[in-house]
Amino acid sequence: MDFESKDIKRSRTSYLAQSTVEYFVSLLVTDAFLAKLLTHIGISDSLIGIISSFITMAFVIQLISIFIVRLNVSTKRIVITCDTISIFFFMLLYLVPFIPVSKEIKTVLVMLSILLAYAGKYTVVSLLFKWANSYVSPSQRARYSANKEIISLVSGMVFTAVIGRIIDKFEGLDNLEGAFLFITIAILILNISNFICLLMIKKEDKSEHKADNEPFSVVLKHTLGNKNFRNVVILTAIWNIARYFTVGFLGVYKTKDLMMSLFLVQIINIVSNAFRVFVSKPIARYSDRHTYAKGFELGLILELMAYIVLIFTTNKTWWLIIVFTILFNCSYAGTNQNSSNITYSYVDSKYIAQAMAIKNCIGGVFGFAASLLGGKVLDIIQSNGNMIFGIHIYGQQVLAGITVVMLIITLIFTKTVIAKQTVMKQ
């Protein structure tokens, strides 16, 4: 493939733009924005955390992609259709407060909207990754991924600051529903932009998909039958348990217990993303020169440090959330893209879409189970007046402590098992 041809360059540029637009949507449906919506509806803190972690359960939907690749249909057409429907359901999420029904029914509608949105997204996420990434030179994958992140993060800084400020203005006027309507319109515009970006990516060459119609037994042999890949699946499961045990409960922790405004939360996110931009390229170069596993390892160390800081974060030491957010966001420079790219190290590129679907599905089940358990622990602590053995402590501090233990296990497994496996050059 000529990676310098006009249509290939256009495809890479369009994928960069699409990733940025999709990142904007994700900012509006996670963390403090989502917590503000769910709190307004009247949903409990523990349920907010579980709903925020629905993304992990939606990973199960990725198994559908194993069947889709066997169909004689256009990957481009399927990706555009499912991604557009996905963002549409994210938009509907912010219209739920306007529906004249009980809190219980609104809760169900919110859960359905999130599940359907993520179902649409994760039905094709591995197909999109394989399709769009096929136009990136193998020797440049980590650096291209870093460029995607940097563009998304820098533009996301401005985006979140503006949106956060506007939401705070609406809230100051006691018109939070007006803010939700504004977000609805914003997501609609983003959906149209996402559609155009995907249209600009070159249609896939089906002749290159030699593994698409092979028997499932052959696909399984090259994925789960591969010991090195099985270890990557185990790594993903442990890592998802570690992070989803706590992360879904942090949005409400910031806005409720630490009493932070949405604008302040977004300013902190902007500062932390600036740090992430600074470390993204160096970690990407390190990953390309060494291995994706080594780059992932660096990210885990930063994530571990972040959750250690979170253990000591209370309303009296609320400023520690700034340190946590900086370390946590910087950790993504090592874990986010490397967690996807690492599949290339141990699975034949013909089976990348199927391998990613299997890996993310299994990891997602464990992650969602961890969020359910985390919600139970948070409920118990909050029902006890945030007291444990006579000591006042927030539930999120306890969850962070458990996450620290799990991240240590994840780091040890990465260093002693994954990093020592033979890497495939492809």
Side-chain angles (χ1 to χ4, degrees):
M1 182 183 293
D2 181 9
F3 291 105
E4 296 306 311
S5 66
K6 186 177 179 180
D7 57 343
I8 299 300
K9 283 184 175 180
R10 187 197 67 230
S11 296
R12 287 200 297 269
T13 302
S14 299
Y15 187 32
L16 287 173
Q18 185 273 335
S19 297
T20 300
V21 171
E22 199 164 52
Y23 175 64
F24 287 174
V25 175
S26 71
L27 289 173
L28 295 176
V29 295
T30 54
D31 199 42
F33 286 111
L34 181 61
K36 183 70 71 175
L37 171 68
L38 301 183
T39 300
H40 177 76
I41 292 174
I43 299 174
S44 68
D45 290 3
S46 59
L47 188 54
I48 286 175
I50 293 170
I51 291 174
S52 299
S53 300
F54 269 3
I55 181 176
T56 60
M57 202 59 187
F59 279 138
V60 176
I61 301 296
Q62 284 196 50
L63 288 180
I64 294 175
S65 64
I66 296 177
F67 297 92
I68 291 177
V69 296
R70 296 174 61 84
L71 301 175
N72 187 26
V73 293
S74 167
T75 297
K76 181 174 182 176
R77 186 177 301 164
I78 291 176
V79 169
I80 290 177
T81 300
C82 290
D83 222 39
T84 301
I85 292 173
S86 167
I87 298 176
F88 173 76
F89 278 109
F90 278 133
M91 182 188 74
L92 290 184
L93 186 63
Y94 282 94
L95 291 177
V96 171
F98 299 95
I99 302 174
V101 292
S102 66
K103 183 187 79 174
E104 289 73 23
I105 295 178
K106 285 183 179 180
T107 301
V108 171
L109 290 175
V110 163
M111 294 169 73
L112 278 175
S113 294
I114 293 177
L115 277 175
L116 290 172
Y118 280 121
K121 177 182 175 66
Y122 286 103
T123 293
V124 295
V125 67
S126 57
L127 299 177
L128 171 60
F129 180 82
K130 180 181 179 181
W131 165 42
N133 245 39
S134 67
Y135 304 121
V136 181
S137 172
S139 63
Q140 298 287 322
R141 283 194 191 115
R143 274 164 281 192
Y144 178 79
S145 297
N147 286 334
K148 275 200 307 176
E149 287 197 344
I150 289 171
I151 292 171
S152 295
L153 291 171
V154 172
S155 54
M157 292 176 193
V158 179
F159 181 78
T160 52
V162 172
I163 297 295
R165 192 63 174 170
I166 291 173
I167 302 307
D168 282 343
K169 287 287 187 181
F170 273 109
E171 192 169 16
L173 296 172
D174 197 26
N175 184 21
L176 200 52
E177 290 190 350
F180 297 150
L181 187 58
F182 173 81
I183 293 177
T184 300
I185 296 171
I187 295 177
L188 176 61
I189 295 172
L190 290 172
N191 200 3
I192 295 171
S193 303
N194 185 74
F195 180 84
I196 294 172
C197 290
L198 289 172
L199 278 178
M200 297 294 288
I201 300 176
K202 183 178 181 290
K203 188 176 180 181
E204 76 285 358
D205 183 358
K206 292 297 286 185
S207 65
E208 295 180 1
H209 298 187
K210 298 175 182 178
D212 290 355
N213 295 313
E214 291 184 353
F216 287 120
S217 58
V218 175
V219 173
L220 289 175
K221 178 183 176 181
H222 287 87
T223 52
L224 289 178
N226 176 342
K227 182 182 178 182
N228 288 347
F229 175 66
R230 285 203 304 273
N231 286 333
V232 172
V233 173
I234 293 172
L235 169 66
T236 304
I238 300 172
W239 183 46
N240 277 4
I241 290 172
R243 58 192 183 133
Y244 285 109
F245 196 85
T246 303
V247 72
F249 307 97
L250 296 184
V252 69
Y253 189 51
K254 295 172 188 176
T255 57
K256 230 173 145 179
D257 299 300
L258 302 185
M259 295 179 288
M260 298 166 64
S261 69
L262 264 178
F263 182 66
L264 178 58
V265 170
Q266 299 316 314
I267 291 299
I268 293 173
N269 285 339
I270 288 170
V271 172
S272 62
N273 282 335
F275 277 89
R276 179 175 169 183
V277 167
F278 181 74
V279 302
S280 188
K281 272 294 182 70
I283 291 179
R285 284 194 294 267
Y286 178 82
S287 301
D288 274 333
R289 287 173 186 167
H290 299 277
T291 62
Y292 300 130
K294 288 289 186 180
F296 186 76
E297 204 174 288
L298 287 178
L300 283 177
I301 293 172
L302 291 171
E303 190 172 3
L304 175 60
M305 292 168 61
Y307 278 101
I308 290 174
V309 171
L310 187 61
I311 293 174
F312 302 98
T313 305
T314 67
N315 58 351
K316 292 181 180 179
T317 59
W318 69 268
W319 53 271
L320 283 177
I321 201 71
I322 301 174
V323 181
F324 164 81
T325 309
I326 290 173
L327 288 170
F328 182 74
N329 280 22
C330 285
S331 75
Y332 270 126
T335 59
N336 194 30
Q337 297 299 333
N338 281 323
S339 65
S340 295
N341 286 330
I342 200 171
T343 313
Y344 281 105
S345 296
Y346 310 112
V347 178
D348 190 308
S349 60
K350 295 187 297 184
Y351 305 95
I352 286 297
Q354 296 94 324
M356 287 187 63
I358 293 170
K359 173 176 71 74
N360 293 334
C361 170
I362 295 174
V365 171
F366 279 93
F368 186 67
S371 72
L372 291 176
L373 183 57
K376 285 290 184 183
V377 173
L378 185 62
D379 258 346
I380 292 171
I381 295 173
Q382 289 186 337
S383 63
N384 222 19
N386 289 322
M387 300 291 291
I388 297 181
F389 304 120
I391 301 173
H392 185 273
I393 187 168
Y394 290 105
Q396 282 85 348
Q397 291 177 273
V398 176
L399 299 184
I402 296 171
T403 291
V404 163
V405 174
M406 293 304 302
L407 282 174
I408 291 173
I409 295 173
T410 308
L411 184 59
I412 292 173
F413 187 79
T414 304
K415 290 179 74 72
T416 60
V417 179
I418 303 296
K420 293 185 177 181
Q421 296 182 160
T422 302
V423 174
M424 298 173 65
K425 298 294 183 181
Q426 55 179 345

